[in-house]
Amino acid sequence: MQQQYVEKQKEITPQELLDLASVAKSLPGTMIGNVAMLYGYRVGGLAGGFAAVFGMILPPFAVILVISFFYAAFRANPWVNAAMEGMQAAVVPIIFGAAVNLIKGSMPYPPCVLLMLISVAAYLFTGINPIFMVILGVVLGLVIGSYYERRQDHDPS
Amino acid sequence: MILLKLFWSFLLIGFGSFGGLSMIPQISNEVLSHGWMTAEQVTDIVAIAEMTPGPLGLNCASFAGMQAAGIPGAIAANLGVLMPSITLCAAAAVFFHKFRNSRVMQWILVGVRPICLGMVVGVILSLSGSNYWSGTGLNLTGIAIGAVDLFLLLKCKSGVPTVLLFSAAAGLVLYGALGLPA
């Protein structure tokens, strides 16, 4: 995105792209889909937004379509299987690496740490649907966020 | 019917997640509980999605949709997961300037971020169980490859494609050529 639109076409400044990205990140859904919608809207209104979203999904859709057609046959091949077994071992470290990046800035107030731990336990030991956990997060976020912000307003130190 | 179910499941995934790897808990919960994919396939699709262009959520939607109901299934799942972008985010685009500095959105994230992080940690733990445990004992070869991967990612700052390439090569040599048990 940065290369294509900021540097080549000069359609948008780096700062604007950052703004779009931060709004896209704070909304639910795939971030890239949200960025496409915001950027498309900026260039061509709502129709531009829809066009950008659908344009963005087509290439990966085609790639996965091809892969999943051959998935069963590929997977039965012992060499492909060996390579996939190797890659399976990489999945947990990759998610771990991403989680390390998520930690930064994710727990600004002490109750957030408790919320994180409760979330780990709920995911592992109860069958609760993750969407209810996210809804709980929205409600508690409103409570915790507004409480600490009010406290900061009263105590400027 | 299956198409509606796929659409609805991925709609929930879309609205309940905030992009990237924070989608994995939702995705694995939905596709496993409906029997659309096995735990091994979820791991495969994460690896495939990281190797191919395109975001993880969409790649998982396409793959799970294909497994469950062919191309119509993939389309239904993609539409579901994109719903937040074409509804909520379209609204945000229209009201962009009001929205950007919204304190309420910032407060919501104060609660949602730790929840998402916690569930990602949960996924790490439960996937560790299925990826490094072969049913009868520890998969030592897998643990060894994973340990090197972690080192590459955190210490050498290698990119994800490099790490996957290394792991595939290690898999070919250790499992394929040397015949070590998985």
Side-chain angles (χ1 to χ4, degrees), chain A residues 19-20 23 25-34 37-38 41 46 50 53-54 56-57 60-61 63-65 67-69 71 75 79 82-100 102-103 105-109 112 115-116 119-120 123-124 127-131 133-134 136-138 140-142 144-146 149 153, chain B residues 12 14-19 21 23-26 28-30 40-41 43-44 46 48 51-54 58-59 62-63 66 74-75 78 82 84-86 88-90 92-94 96 99-100 103-105 107-115 117-120 122-125 127-128 131-132 142 146 149-150 153 160 164 167-168 171-172 175-176 182:
Chain A
D19 282 351
L20 289 188
V23 170
K25 255 191 257 180
S26 61
L27 286 168
T30 59
M31 185 190 148
I32 278 298
N34 292 347
M37 173 52 84
L38 293 171
Y41 180 83
L46 274 182
F50 287 114
V53 169
F54 287 105
M56 185 270 313
I57 67 172
F61 186 77
V63 171
I64 295 294
L65 222 57
I67 288 178
S68 55
F69 267 122
Y71 176 75
R75 208 66 173 82
W79 290 99
M84 285 302 293
E85 294 278 359
M87 288 200 291
Q88 282 196 351
V91 167
V92 166
I94 287 169
I95 302 178
F96 184 86
V100 169
L102 284 180
I103 293 174
S106 72
M107 292 176 285
Y109 311 117
C112 298
L115 211 54
M116 195 274 286
S119 167
V120 178
Y123 185 82
L124 288 178
I128 188 170
N129 191 316
I131 195 155
M133 294 300 296
V134 172
L136 180 74
V138 170
L140 290 179
L142 288 172
I144 298 169
S146 57
E149 194 164 294
D153 288 346
Chain B
L12 293 182
F15 277 103
S17 65
F18 289 79
L21 290 158
M23 303 187 99
I24 294 178
Q26 268 91 345
S28 82
N29 180 64
E30 287 290 331
E40 192 182 36
Q41 286 177 326
T43 310
D44 280 357
V46 174
I48 291 171
M51 272 190 306
T52 53
L58 293 177
N59 287 346
S62 303
F63 191 83
M66 279 294 288
I75 294 173
N78 265 293
L82 280 171
S85 298
I86 61 187
L88 264 187
C89 194
V94 178
F96 186 69
F99 195 84
R100 192 179 54 184
R103 295 163 95 188
V104 171
M105 264 332 284
W107 292 342
I108 286 176
L109 287 180
V110 165
V112 169
R113 280 214 188 106
I115 291 279
L117 180 63
M119 290 197 295
V120 170
V123 168
I124 291 173
L125 294 174
L127 275 185
S128 297
N131 290 359
Y132 301 123
D149 288 336
L150 199 59
L153 280 165
V160 167
L164 281 169
S167 306
L172 281 177
Y175 297 121

